[in-house]
Amino acid sequence: MEGVAMLKQLIGQLQQLLDSSHSHSLILQPSNHTLFFQQQQQQQSRWTSFDVEDSSVDDFCGLVVTAGKSGSFRMSEPVKSPPTKKSRRDRSRGKSSGRSCSTEVMEQEIWKDFPEDLFEAVIARLPIATFFRFRSVCRKWNSMLTSQSFSQYCTQVTQANPWFYTITHENVNSGAMYDPSLKKWHHPTISTPPTKLIVLPVASAGGLVCFLDIGHRNFFVCNPLTQSFRELPARSVKVWSRVAVGMTINGNSAGSGYKILWVGCDGEYEVYDSVRNSWIRPGNMPAGMKLPLSLNFRSQAVSIDSMLYFMRSDPEGIVSYDMVTGVWKQYIIPAPLHLTDHTLAECDGQIMLVGLLTKNAATCVCIWELQKMTLLWKEVDRMPNIWCLDFYGKHVRMTCLGNKGLLMLSLRSKQMNRLVTYNIARKEWLKVPGCVVPRGRKRQWIACGTAFHPCLTAVA
């Protein structure tokens, strides 16, 4: 109460000082302890009220009146209290408001002198998704895709995460690409094969995707970003049964060429060389390889440098092929018990295994790592239990759409259709938004797909 009385006395003195200046007036009403400040300016009056009773004395201690040489008075700013920690919501709200108010305008006088040779360096470092827009800016930017210097800039930029090229049940003649960085689906228009066949993605390397028609006869290679397309020549070996396919690049980029291997269960195989544009038969399967190979066609091949790894079921293990030396090897590796829908994967040169572990009515997605010394699978992670509860009592099937460090898993049953990604290095599980075609509402069912590292300059 003494503080309030002292404050009232101070306000009274301020009122007398301002009354003598004839430019401002302060009116004090002791009954409700409210101070009104009236300022006359351009025949308009503004009133500001301070409630003494509802405010603490400390809130008014910073109110100071200073006098200038001309005899006028001004209200100085209150003394700021020590900063308090804001909540996360308030901080994010402040950042968003700051971004909206600080929109920068690109002035022509400044940017007209931007060095021409830096345009390619800047565009090569933009997010890949911007490619769909910058091609339409001008002919010069569109012609960058065939520029050797632009290709060199692109090779200097490493893409952290692969994209996924998928085929849906509803529309098998066109694909959908998923960008995990933006969590967004893209629906590009890709040149269709001249034979109008239904083709499925079976392998990828260096930004290129290899397709095989459902009759297992014709191969195609395409860059989904640039629509660079090639139909491969006919195979010399007439094997129309199901085959496993692997793909590698020569060197560090697809510009040096690429190779594609197909192998059948009977041991027949061929290698396509893009530099020669022909299929070659390097030799025969070694005598020590057990035939038939009993390949697991649900598992895509894993490529590590020049090595390709395929999964086989009888006996359980892995078959490898070196694209440089042409040497085949086999490894007997028993699979974990109660495992279904399993497929190979890789992360930083390490071979991984992902599959459904089903026991009684419980089902869970598990991740294993191959131990090089013992050639045994060691479990390293599994899907969160809260997600696995949705699988309880359901007949769930799983398809792995990508096996290059970041996995996309399609989990489906009669009552469920779910897509998730798993980052092997971070051990991070994320749900994928549903794939919906443009101007459509129905969620698409993913049939198959593969992972590829997007590259603007890769040529089929």
Side-chain angles (χ1 to χ4, degrees), residues 11-83:
I11 294 175
Q13 295 176 0
L14 292 175
Q15 181 179 356
Q16 294 178 2
L17 291 174
L18 293 179
D19 287 342
S20 61
S21 65
H22 301 287
S23 61
H24 300 80
S25 62
L26 287 173
I27 303 175
L28 180 63
Q29 297 180 0
S31 58
N32 56 6
H33 305 290
T34 306
L35 173 68
F36 290 88
F37 172 72
Q38 179 185 15
Q39 181 178 6
Q40 299 175 353
Q41 184 179 3
Q42 297 179 357
Q43 297 180 354
Q44 294 180 356
S45 60
R46 294 183 302 171
W47 297 83
T48 306
S49 64
F50 304 95
D51 195 338
V52 177
E53 291 184 351
D54 293 340
S55 302
S56 63
V57 177
D58 296 335
D59 294 335
F60 294 91
C61 291
L63 184 61
V64 181
V65 178
T66 59
K69 294 181 179 180
S70 61
S72 61
F73 298 88
R74 61 183 176 85
M75 303 293 291
S76 68
E77 294 182 357
V79 178
K80 295 182 179 180
S81 59

Side-chain angles (χ1 to χ4, degrees), residues 222-239:
C222 175
N223 185 335
L225 297 181
T226 63
Q227 303 182 25
S228 174
F229 189 87
R230 174 189 290 193
E231 181 177 2
L232 303 190
R235 294 181 287 169
S236 59
V237 180
K238 305 301 181 182
V239 177

Side-chain angles (χ1 to χ4, degrees), residues 83-99:
T84 57
K85 186 176 181 180
K86 296 182 179 180
S87 63
R88 181 176 301 176
R89 181 180 299 177
D90 294 338
R91 291 197 302 268
S92 60
R93 185 179 302 170
K95 292 180 182 178
S96 60
S97 62
R99 286 193 298 266

Side-chain angles (χ1 to χ4, degrees), residues 345-415:
E346 71 89 16
C347 179
D348 297 331
Q350 182 66 39
I351 298 179
M352 312 293 292
L353 179 70
V354 55
L356 287 177
L357 198 62
T358 304
K359 191 173 182 180
N360 298 329
T363 302
C364 184
V365 181
C366 296
I367 310 294
W368 291 268
E369 179 181 354
L370 181 61
Q371 305 299 298
K372 296 182 179 180
M373 297 298 295
T374 61
L375 289 182
L376 296 176
W377 296 109
K378 176 184 177 182
E379 183 178 336
V380 293
D381 198 12
R382 60 175 55 194
M383 181 177 285
N385 292 331
I386 189 67
W387 289 12
C388 297
L389 290 177
D390 296 338
F391 309 152
Y392 189 83
K394 300 177 182 177
H395 182 64
V396 180
R397 299 304 304 270
M398 186 189 76
T399 302
C400 186
L401 307 178
N403 54 15
K404 302 179 183 296
L406 184 67
L407 312 180
M408 176 181 281
L409 308 177
S410 173
L411 300 160
R412 61 196 183 277
S413 66
K414 292 183 178 180
Q415 305 87 3

Side-chain angles (χ1 to χ4, degrees), residues 383 387 407-411 418-422 429-432:
M383 181 177 285
W387 289 12
L407 312 180
M408 176 181 281
L409 308 177
S410 173
L411 300 160
R418 179 175 299 175
L419 290 174
V420 299
T421 59
Y422 176 70
W429 300 84
L430 293 176
K431 293 183 179 180
V432 176

